[in-house]
Amino acid sequence: MTKQERAARTREALIRSAAREFDEHGYALAKLSAISTGAGVSPGALHFHFENKPAVAAAVEQEASTALHRAARLVQRQGANALQNLADTTHALARLLREDIVVRAGYRLSCSRGCRTDLNLRQEWQSCVQQRIAEAADEGLLAGGHGGQQDLVRTVVAATVGLEALCRDTHEWLAPGTVTGMWRALLPALAAPAVLADLEPAGSGSVPAARAPVG
């Protein structure tokens, strides 16, 4: 193993250890000593890669952002219509939040008042929803009689962010059945009657299960 490979593995171990520490204790109570111990490295090795706790948190957030964007791109490549794409993306992101400690910790750090960086993953999700709703309008997929695209965006964002917040107590709130139930309730209000029957609240079956590597 080269020196660069060892350094990359150490950084990855530190990010995953930090994610566990932030997920369990929150940003304010997380300790750098616990992060280095959890990664199996010395405090000096941690400070070689990260200047301080904000730098560690920023790295966790960045890895979470990378994984979430990769999942969204994988769904986009499946070629489904915009509303099905939105449902599929939600299932993919819910899976990452349930199963990937780095994604879960990074998302929560991004939304935390105690840890502010340039990233805002909740805002990025809102932008993604806004883009898909606009595409759905262009594709003629939206139902009439609603208050406009912005109302639809707010409804989807509020529902999905609410599930993530509730998931902090139990992961069942982001379980496939819960996400499916949300879309079963939302799609009749979003979709035009002519396309509703072709939409699958449980996901189209092409939802990727990819785990983005750290580093």
Side-chain angles (χ1 to χ4, degrees):
M1 188 187 304
T2 67
K3 183 177 180 180
Q4 290 80 5
E5 289 171 334
R6 285 196 299 273
R9 288 195 179 187
T10 298
R11 187 178 188 277
E12 177 176 351
L14 285 165
I15 289 174
R16 294 196 68 79
S17 178
R20 289 191 295 270
E21 180 74 4
F22 290 135
D23 190 57
E24 183 174 352
H25 301 291
Y27 176 78
L29 297 179
K31 298 182 181 300
L32 291 179
S33 58
I35 292 171
S36 59
T37 298
V41 302
S42 68
L46 184 151
H47 286 289
F48 174 81
H49 290 276
F50 304 107
E51 181 180 2
N52 49 31
K53 187 161 71 170
V56 179
V60 174
E61 288 183 47
Q62 186 58 60
E63 292 297 342
S65 177
T66 299
L68 291 169
H69 280 275
R70 184 178 286 112
R73 288 196 302 271
L74 287 172
V75 171
Q76 183 76 5
R77 291 173 188 165
Q78 307 306 316
N81 68 50
L83 285 181
Q84 187 64 64
N85 178 283
L86 183 55
D88 289 353
T89 301
T90 306
H91 278 282
L93 302 191
R95 178 183 294 137
L96 282 172
L97 286 166
R98 284 194 317 270
E99 300 177 357
D100 191 318
I101 188 68
V102 175
V103 171
R104 187 164 62 249
Y107 184 89
R108 292 174 182 176
L109 284 169
S110 174
C111 299
S112 170
R113 291 182 179 180
C115 177
R116 288 298 188 191
T117 67
D118 292 336
L119 277 176
N120 187 330
L121 297 182
R122 187 176 291 170
Q123 183 61 51
E124 289 186 10
W125 171 239
Q126 181 173 334
S127 297
C128 177
V129 173
Q130 193 160 12
Q131 181 178 348
R132 296 295 175 267
I133 292 294
E135 291 169 356
D138 291 342
E139 295 172 19
L141 303 175
L142 297 181
H146 52 72
Q149 290 184 33
Q150 196 57 40
D151 283 351
L152 299 181
V153 171
R154 290 185 181 124
T155 299
V156 173
V157 170
T160 50
V161 170
L163 290 183
E164 188 281 326
L166 290 166
C167 180
R168 300 179 190 191
D169 294 322
T170 170
H171 288 183
E172 286 303 310
W173 285 104
L174 283 176
T178 306
V179 179
T180 297
M182 180 196 73
W183 281 111
R184 193 176 290 120
L186 287 178
L187 283 173
L190 295 174
V195 302
L196 182 59
D198 295 326
L199 298 173
E200 179 48 69
S204 64
S206 59
V207 179
R211 161 72 174 96
V214 177

